[in-house]
Amino acid sequence: MYLRRVVRGERVYLDLVEGHRDPRSGKVRQRVLGHLGREEQVRPHLPALIQALQKLAATTLLDPSAVAPDSAIDYGGMWLCWELWQELGLGRVLTEATDRETAERCFALVANRVLAPRSKLATHRWLERVARPDGGSWELPYVQLLRGMDALAKVQPQVEEAVYWQLMDLLRCDPTLVFIDLTTIYAEGEGVEAIWQYGHSKDGKSQNKQLLLALVVTPDGYPLAHFLFAGNRAEKVAMLEMLQQLRHRFGLKRCVVVGDRGLISAAVLQALDEAGYDHILALRARQSKTATAALEQEDRSGWTEVDEHLWVQEVAVPDAPRVVLAFNPQKQVEDRRWRERKVEQGWGAMEGLLDRWQQGRISSDQVAIRDATRALVQIDAHRFFHVQVRGGVLSVEENQEHLEREARLDGVFILQSSAQDFDPQAIVTAYKQLLWVERAFRTLKSFLRVRPVYHFTERRIRAHIFLCVLGYLMENHLRQRLLQAGAPYSARAALEALEPLRVVTYDLPGIPVPIRACTRPTPEALAVASALGYTLPARLPLAAVA
């Protein structure tokens, strides 16, 4: 139905016309419902006519000047987190293990770790500024967030195993090769009630308690399991317990554990052997006797080129597992330049000390040695110098023996492995993939802010760590999906591209429920959604009647 202007000579008339389809011919015809009169006489009365018709109409007619948004809250990041959450099956796993309300609370907490990590109290306030996945508003008081953590803690082992098997089915992972690393986190606050013995200061107040977080990830960065130990647990005991749990809870019967220099020790190797696991571990080249012996066995003609940046060689060391040397020419240049820069900085620091000594401004030999050591340690050059006082003369010399030993290590890293079915190149390639677990810890510590932990009970500390690991799982899955699609976005860039997407709520006169609408997505947001195979919602469900 519409108004039609009819021109008759010099006069213009307005008719009310309805379009309809002729049942016999199937063609669209127009039917005049009424003649309103001359346009110049009718136009001044149109507003009153509209108001009169509005009272009789079933649908409210709106005055555009009366339309104003009631609120606008963030939506894009929460929508993407929900898609990842559902794709990974986390919602189903948590609902089956707990209930729908607990799964919803856990999703809100995990999404917060991914989008804007903060304390649980601040998370409650943050939820007031973001939309639910369906576009509605969150109604999760702070106490409900804590109750969600408590409910999760009761079934956490069950959920961890369910998530593990879900990943096995979804990603078709082969857990033969896994990467393990440790990091330190700490809990803060007084009155911490946990199984660990917390240190106390002289005034009786509790101090920060260090905890060890172990993470097990796949070669492409997916976290399979995590373990939390007291900082004072014996290294072998903690490692042995973790390996046994990997076998019994997660079914890892034949596994090659890849770890970094900070993980290796005689106790760790013994624990790996007792658990029946193979290993690929880096040796501390400056401290390990095996590494020193391996360098002595180096054969100049025994190197095999993997690519322009990597050469490998396996050497035989008595009474030791397989040892592989790896050499990176580019890293060799970087190591040499770093050492030369440190030596130059060291001489610069020592010139001022020698001038003060000659001027008699240093009170004793001990003060001279102390000041020299302190200055060299600050610039990490203390290994490259000898400082001594003899016969009243302060002498500073380069430590040539140590410099020659360091030059021999330029660009070289040394690996030890018990895996007999891996060739030297496979051993080195596996170790280089350890960057995924290092990346996981960087993500947990920086973006997801796993520490410090401000919870006061063991169950909430464990639940907090688990929620952070689930956040990293979602972030890594997003990154992998973008890589598979060849999209030019990192996970963080994809989340940022969706930030402009918001839900706007209108409370319109005459309509009993608020109307929700999404802002128009930017081309970048559409590109991210398309790369992931997701479809941004065209419309949102109506809000419930209050």
Side-chain angles (χ1 to χ4, degrees), residues 423-472:
D423 60 35
Q425 179 178 344
I427 290 174
V428 175
T429 301
Y431 175 74
K432 291 179 68 176
Q433 289 177 300
L434 188 64
L435 64 90
W436 290 118
V437 74
E438 295 170 350
R439 178 188 179 277
F441 277 132
R442 284 197 303 271
T443 303
L444 283 168
K445 292 176 182 178
S446 56
F447 292 123
L448 304 182
R449 298 184 185 176
V450 69
R451 62 184 189 183
V453 182
Y454 290 101
H455 296 286
F456 298 140
T457 62
E458 179 199 354
R459 68 177 184 278
R460 286 186 183 167
I461 291 173
R462 291 189 180 276
H464 167 76
I465 300 299
F466 185 33
L467 292 170
C468 290
V469 172
L470 289 180
Y472 171 67

Side-chain angles (χ1 to χ4, degrees), residues 1-6 15-23 25-35:
M1 186 180 299
Y2 59 95
L3 290 177
R4 182 168 63 187
R5 299 174 75 248
V6 180
D15 290 346
L16 185 61
V17 180
E18 178 188 48
H20 71 283
R21 188 175 297 277
D22 189 324
S25 66
K27 296 182 179 181
V28 177
R29 307 291 186 183
Q30 284 77 39
R31 179 167 52 229
V32 177
L33 299 180
H35 300 287

Side-chain angles (χ1 to χ4, degrees), residues 1 31-32 44 47 56 72 134 149 173 246 301 353 387 401-402 430 438 454 515 536:
M1 186 180 299
R31 179 167 52 229
V32 177
L56 300 175
D134 62 2
M149 295 181 68
C173 291
L246 285 174
S301 60
L353 183 73
V387 180
E401 180 180 352
H402 192 83
E438 295 170 350
Y454 290 101
I515 302 296
L536 287 166

Side-chain angles (χ1 to χ4, degrees), residues 27-48:
K27 296 182 179 181
V28 177
R29 307 291 186 183
Q30 284 77 39
R31 179 167 52 229
V32 177
L33 299 180
H35 300 287
L36 300 182
R38 292 171 57 178
E39 182 179 20
E40 65 270 18
Q41 295 174 346
V42 174
R43 187 172 293 280
H45 302 288
L46 284 178

